[in-house]
Amino acid sequence: MSFATPQFLIFIPVLALLGWIFRKTEIWRPLRLLLLGLLVVALCDPHILLKRGGMDLWVLLDRSLSANEMVEAGEDEWRSLLERSKPSRDNRIFYVDYAGEVVPAGNTESSTYAGNRDLTRTGLAVRDTLARINEERHNRILLFSDGFSTEPLTGIASALIGAEVPLDHRILRAPEAVDYRLADLRLPSRSQPAAPFLVEMVVVGTSDGVVPVSVFRGEKKLFDRDVEITGGVGRLRFSDRVVSPGAHRYRAVLNPELDAYQGNNDFEQWIEIVSGPRIVLVSKYQDDPVASTLKRQGFAVDLMPDSLVLDPGMLSGARAVIINNVPAHEIPNDFLQAIPFFVTEQGGGFMMVGGKHSFGAGGYYQSSIDELLPVTMELKSEHRRLAVAMAIVMDRSGSMGMTVQSGHSKMQLANEGAARAVELLGEMDAVTVYAVDSQAHQVAPLLNVGKSRGELLSRIRSVESMGGGIFVYTGMKEAWSELKKADVGQRHMILFSDAADSEEPGQYKALMETMAEEKATVSVIGLGDRGDPDANFLQDIATRGSGRMFFTDIPDDLPNIFAQETVSVARSTFIDEPVSTQSSGRWHELAQQDLKWLPEVDGYNLSYLREDDEMALISTDTYAAPLVAFGRRGIGKTAAVSFPLGGDFSEKARKWEAYPDFLQTLNRWLMGEEVPSGIGLRRELNGTELTIDLLYETEEWSGRFAEYPPQLVLQRGYRDPSPDQLTWERLAPGHYSLRTELKESEPVRGAVQIAGAAIPFGPVVAGASAEWNFDRDRVSELRETARTSGGGELLDLTDAWREPPTPSSESIRSWFFLAALVLFLLEAFVTRTGWRMPLPMRKQAAEQIRKEQKRVSKNVGPVATSQVAEEPKEEPMPKPEKEVKSKDATKERRSRFSRAKKRQ
């Protein structure tokens, strides 16, 4: 505490002197003394400190892709100016780098920003800085940015005002250049099948002209057209209609000849074609009896004979997915990886039907849907085929040394995949391994797995990336020369290669013919996708080698793909002989009564019941394997029918009288229950910020939500193993809302879970590159936020050190005057009334004194009688100064009020 006018302290000795001279004033009485002290302090105008020391200047540097070049060009000069213009040593300066993340930087020199540069999260940077400031000091924020934040600055102004921190900024402007960008791609979020809808594209540019644009729906190009830019804006409109239900992706791409920024030439949006509850059936059978049977019973069925076109958008609006004897390598990874979330969180159903390309035989062992099934595809000795000789040819080129998101290099993941294959081979199998760049390097000759498993694993895991490309033909030729030495029942080669860097085809066609004559097969694992330059070359090798072709652009999937391929080759999991069946009695959990089951099946996929799941039909052979199994996963349901329902080995099943009833009952159970009425979901995407609103009828749903609050689960991408559970904000009765940030081009799916049911939505995607969107409204928003906080745009950096208008101290004089007034009234009351401490309180005090004296007397001996306090007695009335004989005068003298007047 400090005093603004300390000269008034002179009154202290003056009042002390007056009290000594005029003793009758009795200013030494406690209340009067305290009153005078409060008045003196109040006259001195006391202040309490709000801010200590000097000022902290927080400099935020925009390191995003669109601004970093301009920041680096001026950073050294800005640092020098700010340091030279710093008013005193007590002032401090802090630098903070930001883009997608916020990273405190060094104060002496520029540092390298290692965060995500694809976003400009100015709001996050300001909030993070406010959390770091010392509230006991003055603070200012100085922002260097192009002003194009990829997130709205909602609430930032109020946060700055609350913290009493002004925001200054300097807008960085790039040199004028010709730039065109896709500002928007507008289409309805939903439509009916075959109903026409309007699609509109908005193109803006810094120069008028004609810009070509390509429009895609999914992977199919719809057309190429020219957009005329006039006055900086051009529009292209067209109508379209989609027959197939589900979510469909539209994408527009600009192709200008001159363009300063390529990052804003792409925009995508999704539309959901809404129909009734439907089943997605993935099947190779053109006339699948499962599809025709379900359609006759009133189910809406989407039959997908071309599995390669499957994408997660097809799950939108679906209630169940059936995979009918289609191998895993023919289904896109994104679709398979989207199914677990569809079942466990969105409440969908999933069923796999048996056949020679299903379950373990189809490569689903350790796939993304393995644990979803109610049966396990674990490997046991009874699955053994004839002995297998396998050759593994691995790419060890320079690109394999790259580290991926998991922290492993591509080479380490490929090594682990090859090691996983060796672990799954049997005791009688043999394997040889080659690592290939521009030459073929033998890692291990053809060795028996049972005798050399440990040695093989050690050698494989020690392979390192050495550089150069991969000479495919050279590697395969050397591996075949070693593999053909094996005298076993089956010989198989696995080629792993980069789909974008597979060199030297050489005489691969002749080599494939030679291997085919020797009944050897070849499967290929391509790192990349089907659009890569060498993808067709690798696909042709797999086709000529009568094997399987796997593509993955996610290196972390390599170990599982090697495992799937090994199981498909080395272990037989399909029993191709007729087997009798037996009911377990568990069908009543799905229906009111048991079915009249078919007595025998033509064949089935050998598997084992998973713990906590149920089976309704069992084989009567030595395996006692589940033929029909079912279970729950999350809020969804899953089933496995291990015998074929179409194609080969399905004759007995198709002639089964209860075939239609079986499919109807099982699929109605899989599809689950509809969400009750009176509730709806609304979503809105603003840049990268997704807002979701849950609207409901309060009378119907308030009681349910009190018992089972709604939960929102969000999966970012298709591989997220642990979806986010977000927290609602209740805005009003009947209205919940929340906001979340999306990553650019990352699809998001979600579900609102309500008492065992779900309202699914998505995919939703931040359609354009928000970093290159250059929305002028964001610059205006930044300027208004700075002005509201008490800051503004700085042209002269020396103004950055001006002290904020926030006072350093605050006067508390009024509180002292108020306390003095209370004491004055109390003193007047005591003086006028002669008020004293109540008698019971005085008696209690005397009793306490008496006890203390007794205690002392016991310790030190007898004390004088006069030292013992007597019980207080009421004081006698003071004798009058003069004799007054009259009775009324006596009463008046005894009056407390008259005595007080006479004493004055």
Side-chain angles (χ1 to χ4, degrees):
M1 186 173 67
S2 61
F3 297 108
T5 55
Q7 60 268 27
F8 287 103
L9 292 175
I10 193 64
F11 282 124
I12 294 178
V14 173
L15 290 174
L17 181 59
L18 291 176
W20 178 263
I21 298 173
F22 303 101
R23 298 189 179 185
K24 290 185 177 181
T25 59
E26 299 184 1
I27 65 172
W28 305 111
R29 294 173 61 180
L31 289 180
R32 293 182 182 181
L33 188 62
L34 185 57
L35 173 61
L36 292 174
L38 288 175
L39 289 173
V40 171
V41 173
L43 289 173
C44 293
D45 193 7
H47 282 65
I48 57 172
L49 291 178
L50 300 178
K51 304 289 184 181
R52 299 177 183 273
M55 188 180 80
D56 290 342
L57 178 63
W58 296 82
V59 181
L60 307 188
L61 301 174
D62 183 352
R63 298 294 186 177
S64 62
L65 290 175
S66 63
N68 185 57
E69 186 175 347
M70 294 180 286
V71 169
E72 288 183 345
E75 182 179 359
D76 292 339
E77 180 184 357
W78 301 335
R79 286 176 178 261
S80 177
L81 285 173
L82 291 173
E83 288 292 339
R84 290 201 309 265
S85 60
K86 188 163 58 173
S88 67
R89 292 184 178 180
D90 200 25
N91 291 353
R92 302 183 300 184
I93 185 168
F94 299 94
Y95 291 90
V96 177
D97 292 336
Y98 81 96
E101 295 90 24
V102 181
V103 181
N107 290 352
T108 57
E109 57 183 13
S110 59
S111 57
T112 301
Y113 177 76
N116 175 24
R117 297 179 184 268
D118 294 331
L119 296 173
T120 305
R121 302 191 64 186
T122 303
L124 175 65
V126 173
R127 292 186 187 277
D128 183 270
T129 302
L130 292 178
R132 297 174 184 273
I133 65 173
N134 183 350
E135 297 180 354
E136 296 183 353
R137 294 171 60 89
H138 288 292
N139 292 272
R140 292 191 80 96
I141 296 177
L142 175 57
L143 172 69
F144 290 94
S145 173
D146 59 3
F148 297 110
S149 174
T150 58
E151 62 180 359
L153 301 182
T154 307
I156 296 300
S158 58
L160 289 166
I161 294 172
E164 299 178 335
V165 178
L167 171 64
D168 297 320
H169 61 86
R170 174 175 281 192
I171 301 299
L172 308 178
R173 295 173 177 84
E176 289 294 330
V178 177
D179 179 53
Y180 298 98
R181 66 180 175 89
L182 265 167
D184 203 359
L185 177 61
R186 301 169 184 168
L187 67 163
S189 59
R190 290 187 168 191
S191 183
Q192 298 294 323
F197 54 86
L198 181 67
V199 181
E200 180 181 25
M201 283 170 288
V202 180
V203 183
V204 299
T206 58
S207 176
D208 290 352
V210 176
V211 180
V213 61
S214 302
V215 179
F216 301 82
R217 184 177 65 221
E219 300 300 324
K220 178 183 177 182
K221 180 185 286 190
L222 297 181
F223 56 79
D224 292 318
R225 290 187 187 175
D226 291 336
V227 180
E228 185 175 354
I229 309 297
T230 304
V233 181
R235 285 180 169 82
L236 174 63
R237 298 183 180 92
F238 67 93
S239 63
D240 197 14
R241 65 180 68 198
V242 179
V243 177
S244 303
H248 298 265
R249 180 170 63 103
Y250 281 78
R251 180 169 170 254
V253 180
L254 291 182
N255 303 295
E257 292 184 4
L258 296 176
D259 195 28
Y261 307 108
Q262 300 292 326
N264 53 17
N265 293 349
D266 197 312
F267 208 116
E268 68 177 77
Q269 288 284 20
W270 289 75
I271 182 173
E272 183 180 356
I273 304 302
V274 182
S275 65
R278 74 186 202 283
I279 298 172
V280 177
L281 174 59
V282 185
S283 173
K284 287 293 185 182
Y285 307 128
Q286 293 295 329
D287 186 19
D288 193 317
V290 175
S292 57
T293 301
L294 290 174
K295 287 179 179 179
R296 285 195 300 268
Q297 294 174 332
F299 291 91
V301 180
D302 283 348
L303 180 60
M304 305 299 299
D306 185 4
S307 59
L308 294 178
V309 303
L310 291 169
D311 67 71
M314 295 179 179
L315 298 175
S316 181
R319 298 292 297 279
V321 176
I322 302 174
I323 296 180
N324 190 2
N325 198 30
V326 179
H329 72 273
E330 294 187 8
I331 300 178
N333 285 334
D334 283 351
F335 185 80
L336 286 178
Q337 290 160 358
I339 292 177
F341 183 83
F342 167 73
V343 174
T344 59
E345 306 296 347
Q346 293 185 322
F350 174 69
M351 180 169 73
M352 181 170 285
V353 180
K356 283 200 167 184
H357 302 292
S358 192
F359 294 96
Y364 290 99
Y365 176 70
Q366 292 190 356
S367 70
S368 56
I369 61 173
D370 186 349
E371 295 186 0
L372 202 63
L373 291 168
V375 295
T376 66
M377 294 172 279
E378 58 185 307
L379 305 177
K380 297 188 177 182
S381 59
E382 55 262 33
H383 292 183
R384 172 145 308 282
R385 274 183 176 174
L386 296 175
V388 174
M390 181 178 289
I392 301 176
V393 181
M394 295 194 302
D395 178 358
R396 77 163 199 178
S397 61
S399 62
M400 296 300 293
M402 184 180 299
T403 301
V404 299
Q405 189 173 2
S406 65
H408 302 92
S409 69
K410 294 180 182 179
M411 193 73 252
Q412 288 174 323
L413 293 167
N415 292 346
E416 186 58 34
R420 186 81 60 88
V422 172
E423 290 173 344
L424 294 172
L425 290 173
E427 297 293 320
M428 302 300 295
D429 297 332
V431 67
T432 180
V433 182
Y434 281 82
V436 183
D437 41 39
S438 56
Q439 295 180 348
H441 306 274
Q442 188 181 74
V443 177
L446 191 67
L447 297 175
N448 177 266
V449 174
K451 297 178 181 179
S452 309
R453 195 186 305 269
E455 180 183 355
L456 284 166
L457 294 176
S458 177
R459 291 187 183 187
I460 290 172
R461 288 182 171 131
S462 64
V463 175
E464 296 180 357
S465 171
M466 299 301 291
I470 174 173
F471 283 18
V472 174
Y473 172 71
T474 298
M476 294 180 63
K477 180 182 177 182
E478 292 295 324
W480 170 241
S481 64
E482 187 73 13
L483 182 62
K484 66 183 180 182
K485 298 176 182 178
D487 184 17
V488 295
Q490 182 182 9
R491 286 174 287 194
H492 183 72
M493 182 183 295
I494 299 177
L495 169 65
F496 165 66
S497 182
D498 191 334
D501 189 27
S502 296
E503 304 178 30
E504 196 217 14
Q507 303 298 317
Y508 82 95
K509 294 180 181 179
L511 179 62
M512 291 294 98
E513 291 179 2
T514 302
M515 294 180 67
E517 292 174 359
E518 296 289 336
K519 300 187 182 304
T521 55
V522 180
S523 291
V524 181
I525 301 173
L527 185 59
D529 57 44
R530 297 179 185 275
D532 284 339
D534 300 318
N536 291 335
F537 168 46
L538 297 180
Q539 177 68 65
D540 192 51
I541 293 176
T543 302
R544 293 175 182 272
S546 301
R548 286 156 291 277
M549 179 71 235
F550 299 87
F551 283 106
T552 180
D553 55 1
I554 303 172
D556 289 317
D557 287 342
L558 291 175
N560 286 344
I561 295 175
F562 272 95
Q564 294 168 29
E565 173 63 13
T566 304
V567 170
S568 299
V569 172
R571 302 296 175 103
S572 176
T573 60
F574 187 80
I575 308 299
D576 56 2
E577 299 175 355
V579 177
S580 298
T581 68
Q582 178 181 351
S583 172
S584 69
R586 293 292 185 177
W587 186 254
H588 71 272
E589 296 187 16
L590 311 185
Q592 295 182 352
Q593 58 184 5
D594 204 0
L595 275 177
K596 184 179 179 181
W597 293 100
L598 71 171
E600 193 176 59
V601 296
D602 295 303
Y604 73 96
N605 294 84
L606 180 58
S607 58
Y608 300 90
L609 185 68
R610 197 178 294 273
E611 188 177 357
D612 297 329
D613 290 322
E614 300 291 346
M615 54 184 175
L617 192 66
I618 310 171
S619 68
T620 59
D621 56 10
T622 57
Y623 303 127
L627 299 178
V628 176
F630 55 90
R632 294 180 178 271
R633 298 292 183 272
I635 63 172
K637 301 168 184 176
T638 179
V641 179
S642 299
F643 56 91
L645 296 177
D648 297 338
F649 302 97
S650 68
E651 182 178 357
K652 290 183 174 61
R654 286 184 282 114
K655 291 180 179 179
W656 178 27
E657 292 182 359
Y659 185 90
D661 291 341
F662 168 70
L663 285 177
Q664 180 184 32
T665 302
L666 188 55
N667 280 278
R668 290 199 184 282
W669 178 79
L670 286 172
M671 295 175 74
E673 301 293 333
E674 292 280 355
V675 176
S677 61
I679 190 167
L681 202 62
R682 181 178 65 198
R683 65 177 187 266
E684 179 182 1
L685 185 62
N686 183 5
T688 59
E689 184 179 76
L690 175 65
T691 302
I692 301 174
D693 294 290
L694 180 66
L695 307 171
Y696 59 94
E697 295 179 359
T698 55
E699 294 183 1
E700 181 176 357
W701 286 95
S702 293
R704 298 186 187 184
F705 286 169
E707 186 175 0
Y708 301 105
Q711 295 183 351
L712 190 140
V713 183
L714 211 63
Q715 184 185 44
R716 304 177 188 273
Y718 303 125
R719 296 175 49 83
D720 188 359
S722 54
D724 297 337
Q725 288 195 356
L726 305 182
T727 302
W728 292 104
E729 178 184 2
R730 189 171 183 270
L731 299 183
H735 187 186
Y736 285 101
S737 182
L738 61 81
R739 295 179 180 180
T740 186
E741 284 291 326
L742 305 185
K743 291 182 179 179
E744 176 192 336
S745 301
E746 181 182 65
V748 170
R749 299 183 301 151
V752 178
Q753 299 176 356
I754 308 167
I759 305 176
F761 65 88
V764 181
V765 65
S769 175
E771 177 58 26
W772 301 101
N773 195 24
F774 298 146
D775 187 353
R776 295 291 175 184
D777 292 340
R778 296 291 187 230
V779 180
S780 301
E781 185 181 32
L782 173 60
R783 287 187 169 127
E784 181 61 24
T785 299
R787 186 194 64 80
T788 304
S789 71
E793 186 164 4
L794 291 187
L795 300 179
D796 184 358
L797 290 185
T798 59
D799 292 338
W801 290 107
R802 66 191 189 279
E803 191 170 289
T806 306
S808 299
S809 61
E810 182 179 6
S811 174
I812 55 174
R813 170 189 288 181
S814 58
W815 294 100
F816 281 86
F817 277 127
L818 181 60
L821 176 61
V822 172
L823 283 177
F824 175 76
L825 295 176
L826 181 60
E827 166 65 18
F829 173 77
V830 171
T831 302
R832 287 292 188 181
T833 62
W835 179 86
R836 294 191 176 189
M837 185 184 298
L839 183 61
M841 296 179 64
R842 298 207 307 270
K843 288 183 176 180
Q844 185 178 2
E847 182 64 25
Q848 185 66 26
I849 293 172
R850 187 181 297 109
K851 290 181 178 179
E852 180 65 20
Q853 290 176 338
K854 287 182 179 180
R855 184 184 65 80
V856 173
S857 64
K858 290 181 179 180
N859 294 333
V860 301
V863 296
T865 306
S866 59
Q867 293 179 328
V868 180
E870 296 181 356
E871 182 175 333
K873 298 181 180 179
E874 191 169 352
E875 297 179 2
M877 297 290 291
K879 294 182 179 181
E881 297 179 359
K882 299 181 180 180
E883 287 290 337
V884 182
K885 296 181 179 180
S886 66
K887 187 176 183 180
D888 293 337
T890 303
K891 290 182 179 180
E892 184 177 357
R893 286 195 302 271
R894 293 180 179 178
S895 169
R896 294 183 178 179
F897 179 75
S898 60
R899 282 190 289 109
K901 288 178 65 179
K902 289 182 177 182
R903 293 180 62 183
Q904 292 178 352

